[in-house]
Amino acid sequence: MSHLNLSMFKAYDIRTPASQLTLDLAERLAYAEASYFREYLGVQKVVLCRDARLSGAQYLEQGIRIFRNLGFEVLAAPQVTSACVFYYTCMRHPDAAGIMYGASHNPPGDTGQKIVAPGVQPIADGCGPGGGLQALRQMYEHGARPEPVRGGRLRLVNYLEDYVRDTMRLAGVGPGELADLRIVQDFLSGAAGQEMLLAFTIAGADVEPRNLVPDGHFPSGAPNPVVHSSIAPSLDLLRQGGFDFGMFFDGDGDRLDIVASDGRQLSPAFNLVALAPRLRAIFPDIAHPNLYVDLKANPMAIMRIARQGFGVHIIRNGHSQIKQTLGKNAAAGFIAAVEESSHYYLTIRQEHMVFPTENTLFFALLTARAWQEDPLLYRELLDLQHSTFREREWGHHFPNDDLRTAALAAVEDAFVRSGWKAMRHMADGVDMDATLLRDGLPFVIDADTPLTEEWTQIAQRVSQSEKGLARWEVTASTATRRDAAVRLIEETVRRFQAGPRYVG
């Protein structure tokens, strides 16, 4: 059944070249989603949004028609919408399921869908009733098609202004309060520009917008701030002087890269050092707050966060899995999480409900306020981050999954035999679907952990979005230790017929 394009069902959402999701297949998928929403979620209401991609309009138009004809109450936003405004819209209708048509930072010709259950609960592989995307894929494969019922109707929604107002209030940033900041913001022709510019203009910041207007052709390049060629002109502008820092966003606006005026990127974990006391102020009722960081987070940053009274815990990668874990552990004081891919997560408590979600505007405003109040701290954090030695995540493609699995096992064994420790499960016993290797460091870092001068950590994982790909990242206290770890990884992987080194 390869013609059904079953490969579009990924670990976190649906992603595929738009050419491989014809309107006939998209219709089949919409019927499967309607079946899943009724049978597993028990809902008759759905939020539908789209990002800036050229293909999004046709899928949204089709989705509105199908769900309405099946008897659903459809809450649709025809305008270009960021992922975070989509989540906010679903928060405003906590009894509804939701579908976002878009493909985040993927190439321009791709499409996809992010799906949530009521309460903005993520639906992914293994996340959600019936196994989430596993059940949805089965319904799609079997051609599930629910019977239409009466009562379908359409209501148009646009919560952009409400989102900006409520987010500014949550972040504690009022009109004119960022008036002395000059910021470059590059939206890469994606969906986030309008909300960012609205909020930062109200806050009084002097923003130089780049690639502001949504354009599904993505004329500046791939809508991914990791791709240097896409952001190079804005980096050049930033380095010319006169700006405090820059912010770079991806296609659907759920990624936030912070770059200093000298071009140095600040990792999310180090940014969390500055944001931690402000997060504590926002959640004053939580006596012992906890944060999640992914396994690539720099130990120096973890220690600085822990010394502010936070529990800092390693979490597996994956947007849906992180949000699901945040929601599950909200009662234990888990308030936020970051991934080193520049994704930030927040547990929002509202009217006795808990929403584990993404709100990039919140973290952008909080970062701006923190930078404004203590620019010397950010200079210190940048220096500290760049005093360690990092080989940014790279990967290798393997001919098949068995060889990839064998290569990962061989890498782990090579380091463990040298005295390293391996961590494969989170503190609550959940499989990280990855391995954290450390030498000279404990796995639990708290306020009292002494940091030696000789340490190295390696994060290795299987890519959930690209077939046959495994990834590694190395961080170390010295260049010698970093280079030795990279060399051993490369020598070990080479035995398994890996493809050429892949960065990105």
Side-chain angles (χ1 to χ4, degrees), residues 247-377:
M247 294 179 164
F248 297 81
F249 306 87
D250 68 344
D252 66 349
D254 63 359
R255 179 181 293 191
L256 170 64
D257 254 17
I258 308 296
V259 181
S261 57
D262 60 5
R264 291 186 294 175
Q265 186 256 359
L266 183 71
S267 84
F270 276 103
N271 193 29
L272 207 55
V273 176
L275 302 188
R278 291 160 179 84
L279 289 170
R280 183 190 287 277
I282 291 170
F283 299 96
D285 56 321
I286 298 178
H288 302 289
N290 292 287
L291 304 170
Y292 284 119
V293 297
D294 79 22
L295 65 166
K296 293 178 289 184
N298 192 304
M300 305 282 278
I302 294 174
M303 183 171 294
R304 289 287 297 267
I305 298 168
R307 287 176 178 171
Q308 298 182 65
F310 284 80
V312 187
H313 304 261
I314 302 294
I315 194 168
R316 60 171 292 175
N317 285 100
H319 313 333
S320 299
Q321 285 78 4
I322 289 175
K323 286 183 277 191
Q324 177 178 262
T325 304
L326 267 178
K328 183 177 69 175
N329 295 323
F334 284 86
I335 61 175
V338 295
E339 281 185 292
E340 293 302 285
S341 57
S342 295
H343 287 89
Y344 293 77
Y345 306 87
L346 185 67
T347 303
I348 296 179
R349 292 162 170 81
Q350 182 176 297
E351 297 180 357
H352 308 293
M353 296 188 70
V354 173
F355 299 100
T357 189
E358 294 170 79
N359 186 324
T360 305
L361 177 58
F362 169 81
F363 284 101
L365 289 167
L366 210 63
T367 299
R369 168 56 64 82
W371 201 301
Q372 176 195 52
E373 293 179 349
D374 199 347
L376 293 179
L377 173 60

Side-chain angles (χ1 to χ4, degrees), residues 107-438:
D110 282 10
T111 188
Q113 297 181 17
K114 293 180 178 178
I115 305 170
V116 297
V120 204
Q121 299 300 312
I123 299 296
D125 186 20
C127 289
L133 283 182
Q134 297 170 4
L136 179 57
R137 172 179 165 151
Q138 291 175 357
M139 288 179 157
Y140 170 78
E141 192 171 358
H142 295 151
R145 185 165 181 153
E147 291 294 324
V149 298
R150 293 184 178 181
R153 63 192 183 105
L154 170 66
R155 179 149 53 108
L156 300 185
V157 294
N158 186 343
Y159 290 112
L160 178 65
E161 292 184 359
D162 290 1
Y163 171 70
V164 169
R165 181 199 64 230
D166 290 348
T167 302
M168 292 186 71
R169 182 184 300 124
L170 181 63
V173 175
E177 292 184 357
L178 301 179
D180 56 346
L181 287 178
R182 292 199 70 214
I183 307 168
V184 173
Q185 290 187 339
D186 191 339
F187 308 105
L188 295 179
S189 305
Q194 192 171 3
E195 64 226 44
M196 291 292 164
L197 211 58
L198 278 172
F200 277 82
T201 298
I202 293 170
D206 182 0
V207 173
E208 180 64 35
R210 306 276 297 176
N211 302 301
L212 169 65
V213 179
D215 184 346
H217 294 99
F218 300 113
S220 61
N224 184 347
V226 170
V227 178
H228 184 267
S229 59
S230 296
I231 65 172
S234 294
L235 287 176
D236 290 341
L237 175 64
L238 184 61
R239 292 191 188 101
Q240 289 173 15
F243 296 97
D244 293 283
F245 56 90
M247 294 179 164
F248 297 81
F249 306 87
D250 68 344
D252 66 349
D254 63 359
R255 179 181 293 191
L256 170 64
D257 254 17
I258 308 296
V259 181
S261 57
D262 60 5
R264 291 186 294 175
Q265 186 256 359
L266 183 71
S267 84
F270 276 103
N271 193 29
L272 207 55
V273 176
L275 302 188
R278 291 160 179 84
L279 289 170
R280 183 190 287 277
I282 291 170
F283 299 96
D285 56 321
I286 298 178
H288 302 289
N290 292 287
L291 304 170
Y292 284 119
V293 297
D294 79 22
L295 65 166
K296 293 178 289 184
N298 192 304
M300 305 282 278
I302 294 174
M303 183 171 294
R304 289 287 297 267
I305 298 168
R307 287 176 178 171
Q308 298 182 65
F310 284 80
V312 187
H313 304 261
I314 302 294
I315 194 168
R316 60 171 292 175
N317 285 100
H319 313 333
S320 299
Q321 285 78 4
I322 289 175
K323 286 183 277 191
Q324 177 178 262
T325 304
L326 267 178
K328 183 177 69 175
N329 295 323
F334 284 86
I335 61 175
V338 295
E339 281 185 292
E340 293 302 285
S341 57
S342 295
H343 287 89
Y344 293 77
Y345 306 87
L346 185 67
T347 303
I348 296 179
R349 292 162 170 81
Q350 182 176 297
E351 297 180 357
H352 308 293
M353 296 188 70
V354 173
F355 299 100
T357 189
E358 294 170 79
N359 186 324
T360 305
L361 177 58
F362 169 81
F363 284 101
L365 289 167
L366 210 63
T367 299
R369 168 56 64 82
W371 201 301
Q372 176 195 52
E373 293 179 349
D374 199 347
L376 293 179
L377 173 60
Y378 273 96
R379 188 178 305 168
E380 176 191 347
L381 293 173
L382 283 160
D383 290 343
L384 180 60
Q385 175 182 323
H386 291 274
S387 72
T388 60
F389 295 84
R390 173 190 179 203
E391 187 75 9
R392 192 163 187 173
E393 191 173 55
W394 80 98
H396 284 284
H397 285 280
F398 294 85
N400 55 61
D401 289 347
D402 289 341
L403 281 173
R404 180 177 63 182
T405 299
L408 290 166
V411 169
E412 180 179 332
D413 182 64
F415 284 97
V416 170
R417 281 190 285 107
S418 299
W420 290 48
K421 303 297 183 183
M423 176 181 176
R424 304 176 200 87
H425 295 86
M426 292 164 45
D428 59 5
V430 174
D431 191 337
M432 291 198 302
D433 203 23
T435 303
L436 178 63
L437 295 158
R438 280 182 175 172

Side-chain angles (χ1 to χ4, degrees), residues 51 81-84 100 103-105 114 190-192 250-255:
D51 69 6
T81 302
S82 72
C84 298
M100 174 78 177
S104 187
H105 61 276
K114 293 180 178 178
D250 68 344
D252 66 349
D254 63 359
R255 179 181 293 191

